Every structure is written in C-alpha cells, then in structure tokens.
Amino acid sequence: GLFPIGGIIKNHFGYDRIYWAMFPLYARFGKDDQITQTILWPFIKIYKGPQIKGMEIWPLVGTYSKKNSYDSYYILWPFYYNEERNKEYFSEQRKAFFPLYTFERTKNSVSKTWIWPFFGYTQKNNPLYHQIRYFWPLIILGKGNEKKEICLSPSYRRLVHIADEKI
C-alpha cells in the first residue's frame, strides 16, 4: 500500500486487516468478524458484525452495542451520553447531562455530581466509604471503615487511615 493513497495492511495495529483509500476519506478496519468503516475519519463510523452494531457522526450522535456486553449512545458528545457495560455479570453504568448531572454506578460504588464541579458524592460498599464534594477540589469530606479524609483547599488535605489512628 501507499499511504495515504490506498492499500491493505494485514495483522498490524491490533487488526486482522486494514484497507484505506485516500485516507482519511475512507478506511475499513477488520478484526475477526467485526468491521469498522470510516468516512472522513474519525467523524463518521459504521460498526458491523454478528456481535456488534453501531454508527457515529462524531460529535453529533453515536450508538454502539456489543451483544450481552456493552451498550452506549451519545448526543452532542460529551454533553449527553449513556453507557452500560458488563451486562451479563454485573452492570456498570455511566450517564451524563453535562455539566448539570453525571452518574456512575459500578458493582461496588455509586457516584453522582450536580452542576460539575460544585456538588457531588461517592458511596463505596467494599470497603465502606462515603465522600461529599463541594466546589471540587476545594472541599472534600470523606469517611469510611478504613479512612477519613478532609480537604479544605488545594493546599490542605488530611487523610487518616483508621488502622493507624487506633495505635
């Protein structure tokens, strides 16, 4: 191949095959039975395969789905997005209507922020920990089974591990 005019590359850059013609006008990336086609890379993408489907007109709109594993979509990225991962075992979820609200949930935690970066909290279950943020990173208050945290400005932070405090 003669880059950027046209060509084929096999078994490089994590793909089984890459085709291009007048790159970035057109490219096609293949791995196993999954194909990603791009027009005006990276702005327009089409995802195809038995396990995946999706399309993007970045940053306006996009959707991507992998069977029993991952779903995501966005509108005017990064201002509105929703993604869900690991659907088969446990669900991880991220949502945003940025900067008004963000949400993240994993197997062991929940984190929410309102009017970023002004108000937020995080709750972790293993180990137990709760954190509240006001005007992040200026005021951070956290307490849990293993540590306590106080941050009152970028220049003052106190982190106490509970096991050290009991000695």
Side-chain angles (χ1 to χ4, degrees), residues 93-111:
Q93 190 174 21
R94 291 173 185 80
K95 294 181 178 185
F97 191 65
F98 190 77
L100 301 176
Y101 176 74
T102 64
F103 169 82
E104 181 175 348
R105 178 177 44 85
T106 66
K107 185 177 183 178
N108 292 315
S109 69
V110 173
S111 183

Side-chain angles (χ1 to χ4, degrees), residues 13-49:
F13 307 116
Y15 293 98
D16 297 336
R17 60 213 171 276
I18 302 172
Y19 306 95
W20 73 91
M22 300 304 291
F23 187 83
L25 295 180
Y26 178 79
R28 181 177 172 152
F29 304 87
K31 184 171 184 172
D32 300 324
D33 53 0
Q34 301 175 14
I35 303 293
T36 301
Q37 290 180 299
T38 68
I39 302 167
L40 296 173
W41 177 87
F43 301 106
I44 300 172
K45 293 182 184 176
I46 299 167
Y47 304 98
K48 297 179 189 178

Side-chain angles (χ1 to χ4, degrees), residues 2 12-13 50 52-54 69 71 77 93 96-97 107 118 122 125 129 141 146-147 158 160 164:
L2 183 60
H12 281 340
F13 307 116
I52 67 165
K53 63 181 178 178
S69 177
D71 285 315
W77 184 86
Q93 190 174 21
F97 191 65
K107 185 177 183 178
F118 298 117
T122 299
N125 298 324
Y129 180 72
L141 306 170
E146 295 182 357
K147 66 180 177 180
R158 180 177 172 159
V160 175
D164 297 340

